[in-house]
Amino acid sequence: MKTFINVQDIGPLEKAMAEAFEIKNNRYKYQHLGKNKTLMMIFFNNSLRTRLSTQKAAMNLGMNVIVLDVNAGAWKLETERGVIMDGDKSEHLLEAIPVMGCYCDLIGVRSFAGLTNREYDYAETVLQQFIKYSGRPVFAMETATVHPLQAFADLITIKESWGRSVGSGSPTAKPKVVLTWAPHCRALPQAVPNSFAQWMNADPNVDLVITHPKGYELDPQFVGNAVVEYDQKKAFEGADFIYAKNWSNPGVTNPADYGKITCEDRSWTVDTEHMSWTNNGKFMHCLPVRRNLIVTDDVIESPNSLVIPEAANREISCSVVIKRMLEAL
């Protein structure tokens, strides 16, 4: 595996899931793969779970790790071609990338959407430059449009929880998984909901419903065969898992709205009443979460909250990805 961006890159999903549970049972089994190999993690944006879990996964696999925070301690980087660099940016990404490649064997990149130019963001302009110019295998640690390590961990969490729960009567039945929009005070990218929808759609043993206000439709390439339901209560009925996440307007129905907050309806906040509509559903969120905006205290602190196991599984999803890339070197 030379790149990891979308669910298709992982190959047969059932095999990847089996590998995830194997690694979770023995996290250090493949330490020999990373001996004398170096992972470079490049952050254009803040991170907690991604930084810690990716570094831990690489160390479990025997790797050395270099972490570069572009916004702290590095030259400011220009990302556009044709720009006269007479401002505060001292180095161009097109020189920086191949230099980074000289010092490592694998590269992880985290770069968010600018939310001003949909075409630029959805072309994954920054990530694609790393793939083209680094000369190294590259994986996404969240990009302008996707967060595959999170979605992979989400699926692992659902499989674990479903196997232990009664669900809709039988652990072998398909769980109903609902991705719900929730309000937020800032404009956020669509990366997490995009990947979550993509990965749930890729598993034939999951029934996915997406609910959000009208005008907040995700890109069809990620929605896939999911049921879109604009009535949140109807969407929640009988749900086994509720995945709450805010996203700014994707600009699908109206390109001029891309990246904007066009709905601030607080009735979409997931509270106890919302969860009462479900089938004793489990609550999920990628974190960090704005309490009492996305979800109320009582829901996120309830026994049905999976946010901590979900975060812990980030180490496992990343371990599978890095292992696959090391095996391909």
Side-chain angles (χ1 to χ4, degrees):
M1 187 166 65
K2 296 295 185 183
T3 59
F4 177 72
I5 306 171
N6 297 304
V7 67
Q8 295 87 352
D9 298 326
I10 202 71
L13 191 54
E14 186 175 347
K15 183 177 179 182
M17 293 299 295
E19 201 166 323
F21 291 119
E22 177 196 17
I23 287 174
K24 192 161 188 176
N25 288 329
N26 186 352
R27 299 170 195 236
Y28 308 103
K29 181 178 180 179
Y30 297 101
Q31 274 193 331
H32 61 282
L33 291 175
K35 184 178 181 181
N36 298 328
K37 299 290 193 305
T38 300
L39 167 66
M40 181 173 287
M41 300 163 57
I42 300 162
F43 291 88
F44 289 85
N45 302 89
N46 294 336
S47 172
L48 189 150
R49 276 148 297 278
T50 297
R51 183 186 296 259
L52 297 178
S53 62
T54 306
Q55 187 165 357
K56 180 64 163 63
M59 293 168 64
N60 290 352
L61 291 163
M63 299 191 77
N64 302 311
V65 181
I66 299 172
V67 179
L68 176 64
D69 187 338
V70 171
N71 298 313
W75 299 113
K76 289 188 176 181
L77 295 174
E78 177 58 63
T79 60
E80 299 289 332
R81 299 187 69 172
V83 173
I84 297 174
M85 293 175 58
D86 57 358
D88 64 342
K89 295 178 179 177
S90 305
E91 185 162 9
H92 202 288
L93 200 61
L94 294 183
E95 283 79 63
I97 290 173
V99 169
M100 294 175 193
C102 294
Y103 306 140
C104 64
D105 300 280
L106 305 179
I107 295 178
V109 180
R110 182 176 177 92
S111 177
F112 289 177
L115 296 178
T116 57
N117 185 329
R118 189 179 195 280
E119 183 179 356
Y120 181 90
D121 287 343
Y122 273 71
E124 293 291 2
T125 306
V126 172
L127 180 68
Q128 290 300 329
Q129 289 184 79
F130 276 91
I131 293 171
K132 185 174 182 180
Y133 298 113
S134 70
R136 302 299 180 194
V138 175
F139 64 92
M141 300 191 300
E142 188 168 4
T143 70
T145 66
V146 292
H147 198 350
L149 291 173
Q150 179 65 54
F152 190 5
D154 294 335
L155 186 57
I156 294 169
T157 306
I158 288 171
K159 294 295 188 183
E160 284 182 320
S161 177
W162 188 242
R164 294 194 300 266
S165 66
V166 175
S168 58
S170 169
T172 60
K174 287 185 179 182
K176 179 181 178 180
V177 178
V178 177
L179 168 62
T180 181
W181 179 90
H184 204 281
C185 54
R186 295 179 56 198
L188 299 182
Q190 299 99 46
V192 169
N194 282 345
S195 278
F196 185 79
Q198 184 187 59
W199 282 71
M200 295 304 118
N201 277 318
D203 190 331
N205 296 310
V206 168
D207 286 332
L208 176 65
V209 176
I210 303 175
T211 185
H212 53 71
K214 288 188 177 180
Y216 270 75
E217 292 78 10
L218 297 171
D219 193 294
Q221 67 175 306
F222 299 109
V223 174
N225 296 322
V227 173
V228 177
E229 174 55 65
Y230 296 104
D231 184 328
Q232 191 185 30
K233 183 175 183 179
K234 186 175 179 181
F236 274 46
E237 289 176 353
D240 300 294
F241 295 90
I242 299 296
Y243 197 101
K245 184 69 179 77
N246 173 267
W247 60 89
S248 61
N249 197 303
V252 173
T253 57
N254 185 359
D257 286 337
Y258 175 66
K260 297 179 180 178
I261 297 175
T262 54
C263 180
E264 300 180 77
D265 188 350
R266 296 291 180 89
S267 71
W268 284 75
T269 299
V270 179
D271 59 16
T272 302
E273 181 183 357
H274 284 71
M275 296 304 292
S276 73
W277 304 333
T278 72
N279 181 37
N280 194 31
K282 304 297 174 64
F283 177 80
M284 301 180 69
H285 188 280
C286 60
L287 302 182
V289 66
R290 300 268 184 154
R291 284 182 174 227
N292 303 304
L293 193 57
I294 297 287
V295 59
T296 56
D297 291 330
D298 52 348
V299 171
I300 198 170
E301 293 174 6
S302 77
N304 277 15
S305 174
L306 296 177
V307 296
I308 303 305
E310 187 180 354
N313 278 329
R314 289 293 308 278
E315 177 188 340
I316 307 306
S317 64
C318 193
S319 294
V320 175
V321 170
I322 294 175
K323 172 183 174 291
R324 295 279 187 92
M325 289 190 152
L326 288 171
E327 289 172 334
L329 289 178

